[in-house]
Amino acid sequence: MKAIQIPELQKIEVIDLNSPAAPAADEVLIRMQYVGFCGSDLNTFLGRNGMAKENVIPGHEVGAVIEAVGANVPDTLRPGMIVTVNPYTNCGHCASCRNGRVNACQHNETLGVQRDGAMRELMALPWQKIIPAEGLDTKTCALIEPMSVGFHAVDRAQVQDIDKVMVIGCGMVGLGAVVRAALRGAIVIAADIDDEKLALAKQLGATYAINTKTEDAHQRLTELTEGLGPDVIVEAVGSVPTYQMAVNEIAFTGRIACIGYAKQDALLPTRLFVQKELDVRGSRNAMPSDFRAVIHYLQQSNCPTDQLISKVIKPEESQQTMEYWSQNPGKVFRILVDFTK
């Protein structure tokens, strides 16, 4: 069967793998239709992802159809069903797992990063990781996982309808945070350096948009929050300047949810942690409930999913596509690889 592999720095290629046999008793065999490239895949391609295994098969944003089920799989999962995948593992023994926060397992191995991923025609996975998505098509299913990461950050920040929420970074994950915060009734302020992304953020529920490259973000926030600052800031970029912005602009007693991985440590005004009595919370991956919430949203809404998909490519186009993305990082929401042909 056809698969995609990253064998070395800035090289990605199509390889041939043996097709899996019938699924084990507790497994589901799924046939991939669309699998999304995400920022972690781009960083692996560029040699910037220290967590990725060597010669990794990327991919953890899945839209697939069940091909076959093992003997012990519950009858809620049946051949022919459209599904997505929870791509994380959890050990069941670390502090995170013991506390019920399995998304942050100390020993997590995400598909396409610490273990080979979904960029292949067929894959067998434990049935517990298969998530039905009734009423959605497989292209839309490939958007569920990144949106769920943004949903989870809003949950971590305990956003309420009385909050003014700033989301820094309007890629797919940030847009998930915009959607979830708006669904909770908050006033959402989207911030990015790309006007197209900001326009889409407003379409998805943001009340205000700030282009931090061309506008004075502090002045705009002062105007929009009556000088108080946002009650919540979701950092969805992962850069030193955006982390510094979050700490400087957050309101006193505000809450910051941190999604982005900064490439280097940020020098932060730690006195503000104390003076503002801040809650600074990491937000990693997503919980099963976040996946369900995204699926419910996509089932019930008129989400412009076509606008979230920048490009659909064949596996053989992966090299040139990654080269383009690396040169134009701000112009891509999601690139899907089509395994249907």
Side-chain angles (χ1 to χ4, degrees), residues 1-5 13-20 31-32 57 117-123 314-318 337-341:
M1 68 175 179
K2 189 180 294 185
I4 295 172
Q5 186 181 57
E13 62 185 11
V14 177
I15 61 172
D16 187 53
L17 291 180
N18 292 328
S19 295
R31 182 172 292 278
M32 305 300 173
I57 295 172
M119 291 280 182
R120 61 180 84 192
E121 293 180 272
L122 291 163
M123 189 173 194
K314 300 175 183 177
E316 292 78 10
E317 298 173 306
S318 297
V337 181
D338 183 352
F339 283 94
T340 64
K341 301 175 182 177

Side-chain angles (χ1 to χ4, degrees), residues 9 78 131 276:
L9 180 65
R78 301 177 301 277
I131 304 172
K276 293 185 175 184

Side-chain angles (χ1 to χ4, degrees), residues 182-232:
L183 288 173
R184 291 194 173 188
I187 294 173
V188 181
I189 305 165
D192 202 281
I193 60 173
D194 186 275
D195 285 332
E196 291 182 20
K197 290 184 176 180
L198 289 171
L200 188 51
K202 292 191 74 173
Q203 191 174 345
L204 291 173
T207 305
Y208 304 105
I210 300 174
N211 187 318
T212 56
K213 187 175 182 180
T214 61
E215 300 178 75
D216 185 328
H218 176 72
Q219 181 179 333
R220 284 291 312 283
L221 287 169
T222 299
E223 296 167 356
L224 297 175
T225 66
E226 300 176 335
L228 300 177
D231 304 288
V232 174

Side-chain angles (χ1 to χ4, degrees), residues 41-241:
D41 300 322
L42 177 62
N43 284 328
T44 301
F45 174 77
L46 294 173
R48 300 173 183 170
N49 189 350
M51 295 184 291
K53 70 185 287 288
E54 291 186 2
N55 303 316
V56 70
I57 295 172
H60 56 257
E61 302 173 359
V62 172
V65 175
I66 294 179
E67 185 85 357
V69 298
N72 295 338
V73 174
D75 60 10
T76 51
L77 298 173
R78 301 177 301 277
M81 293 180 69
I82 291 175
V83 297
T84 191
V85 167
N86 181 331
Y88 323 121
T89 64
N90 58 285
C91 69
H93 306 292
C94 71
S96 301
C97 291
R98 193 171 57 188
N99 291 329
R101 289 161 63 177
V102 295
N103 60 297
C105 174
Q106 182 178 351
H107 307 292
N108 167 66
E109 294 185 352
T110 299
L111 284 176
V113 185
Q114 295 96 339
R115 56 185 174 134
D116 284 332
M119 291 280 182
R120 61 180 84 192
E121 293 180 272
L122 291 163
M123 189 173 194
L125 291 165
W127 70 263
Q128 295 90 342
K129 298 299 181 182
I130 306 299
I131 304 172
E134 183 180 357
L136 302 182
D137 58 49
T138 48
K139 276 186 184 177
T140 302
C141 285
L143 305 176
I144 292 170
E145 190 274 342
M147 290 192 77
S148 73
V149 176
F151 271 48
H152 182 67
V154 169
D155 197 53
R156 286 283 293 143
Q158 296 178 304
V159 170
Q160 305 175 70
D161 57 2
I162 59 173
D163 289 326
K164 289 183 179 177
V165 178
M166 181 185 189
V167 178
I168 306 176
C170 295
M172 272 297 301
V173 171
L175 289 177
V178 167
V179 168
R180 187 57 159 165
L183 288 173
R184 291 194 173 188
I187 294 173
V188 181
I189 305 165
D192 202 281
I193 60 173
D194 186 275
D195 285 332
E196 291 182 20
K197 290 184 176 180
L198 289 171
L200 188 51
K202 292 191 74 173
Q203 191 174 345
L204 291 173
T207 305
Y208 304 105
I210 300 174
N211 187 318
T212 56
K213 187 175 182 180
T214 61
E215 300 178 75
D216 185 328
H218 176 72
Q219 181 179 333
R220 284 291 312 283
L221 287 169
T222 299
E223 296 167 356
L224 297 175
T225 66
E226 300 176 335
L228 300 177
D231 304 288
V232 174
I233 293 181
V234 176
E235 199 292 330
V237 175
S239 72
V240 171

